[in-house]
Amino acid sequence: VIPNLRLSRGLGDVYKWQDSTQGCVDIDECATNNGGCDALVACTNTPGARVCGNCPFGYAGNGETGCSDVNECTTNNGGCDKTVTCVNTKGSFTCGDCPAGYSGGGASGCIDINECTTNNGGCDSHVTCMNSPGSFSCGACPSGYSGTGATGCVDNNECATNNGGCDGNAACTNTAGSRTCACKMGFTGDGVTCADVNECSTNNGGCNTNANCANTVGSRTCACKTGYSGDGLTCTDVNECATNNGGCSANANCANTVVSHT
């Protein structure tokens, strides 16, 4: 009897002599250093040998020679959405979060958010919101407004400069994004150009029939004719005889007539 006699089968000791009663017993190779298998696999002892399991998911190679990590991110971004970063890990990988302007998950897919569907994307109500991948932009403020579509459009008061381009004899009224011109009383035209109205050409300008109408710029004047007194709108015949006998001789009778006397 040779105690602890070890028998070799080429790859190392696989049996050992126990004693004259038990004979040779199997050595459990897996009990030492996982039987020489890769640390990531299971070592299964068998009579006179051992078996190394397969490399786990996410690793390449075999349990006998060694398992190496597979970098999933090198192929098709690891299956992550193209807008996110794929991060390789031991035996697996992770997908980053969807960037701003997208909804969903980096692994399941990122969907562009149309910011323009809510509150015009925050753009001013006078401009158009234009959606783009992961973002949006605001159009320019329209004519008659200053500022930007993103920060806000402010109405310009055109009337504050050069009467808004209206005629000097017109009133300029500011409106949202524009202005209106209206000729003042006594003038006619479209407001941009105004011409004086000759009031005397119609109904004697509103003066009394016994008055003379004189056109002025933007208006007219009324003056009672000789032999009448008043403000031109109302004219009353003057009784010449009431003053100094109408200029007649003291020995003559003065008779008042319309506009004169005898």
Side-chain angles (χ1 to χ4, degrees):
V1 176
I2 304 176
N4 299 322
L5 176 65
R6 297 178 180 272
L7 304 180
S8 175
R9 296 179 57 188
L11 294 178
D13 298 331
V14 294
Y15 289 94
K16 70 178 180 177
W17 177 263
Q18 187 65 21
D19 53 42
S20 59
T21 303
Q22 299 180 39
C24 294
V25 294
D26 178 52
I27 295 174
D28 184 358
E29 293 85 358
C30 297
T32 302
N33 194 31
N34 200 34
C37 300
D38 191 276
L40 295 171
V41 305
C43 176
T44 304
N45 186 59
T46 61
R50 57 97 176 97
V51 176
C52 298
N54 295 323
C55 292
F57 182 81
Y59 289 85
N62 60 70
E64 185 75 44
T65 59
C67 300
S68 58
D69 177 53
V70 174
N71 187 349
E72 293 86 357
C73 297
T74 59
T75 303
N76 195 32
N77 200 33
C80 301
D81 191 274
K82 63 181 180 180
T83 63
V84 305
T85 301
C86 174
V87 180
N88 186 58
T89 60
K90 291 293 185 180
S92 187
F93 66 97
T94 59
C95 299
D97 296 330
C98 292
Y102 291 86
S103 63
S108 59
C110 299
I111 302 171
D112 176 53
I113 296 173
N114 187 347
E115 294 84 356
C116 297
T117 59
T118 303
N119 194 31
N120 200 34
C123 301
D124 189 273
S125 59
H126 294 93
V127 305
T128 299
C129 175
M130 295 165 286
N131 186 57
S132 58
S135 187
F136 68 97
S137 60
C138 301
C141 292
S143 175
Y145 291 85
S146 60
T148 68
T151 60
C153 300
V154 181
D155 176 52
N156 294 330
N157 185 354
E158 291 83 0
C159 297
T161 304
N162 196 32
N163 199 34
C166 301
D167 190 273
N169 293 309
C172 178
T173 302
N174 186 58
T175 60
S178 187
R179 58 91 177 102
T180 59
C181 302
C183 293
K184 298 176 181 178
M185 184 174 292
F187 294 88
T188 183
D190 58 6
V192 177
T193 303
C194 297
D196 178 54
V197 174
N198 186 351
E199 292 84 358
C200 297
S201 63
T202 304
N203 195 31
N204 199 34
C207 301
N208 191 276
T209 55
N210 294 310
N212 293 316
C213 177
N215 185 57
T216 60
V217 178
S219 187
R220 56 91 180 98
T221 59
C222 300
C224 293
K225 297 176 181 179
T226 302
Y228 292 90
S229 63
D231 58 6
L233 299 178
T234 301
C235 295
T236 305
D237 178 54
V238 174
N239 185 353
E240 292 84 0
C241 296
T243 303
N244 195 29
N245 199 32
C248 299
S249 169
N251 296 311
N253 292 317
C254 177
N256 185 56
T257 60
V258 178
V259 190
S260 187
H261 69 284
T262 57

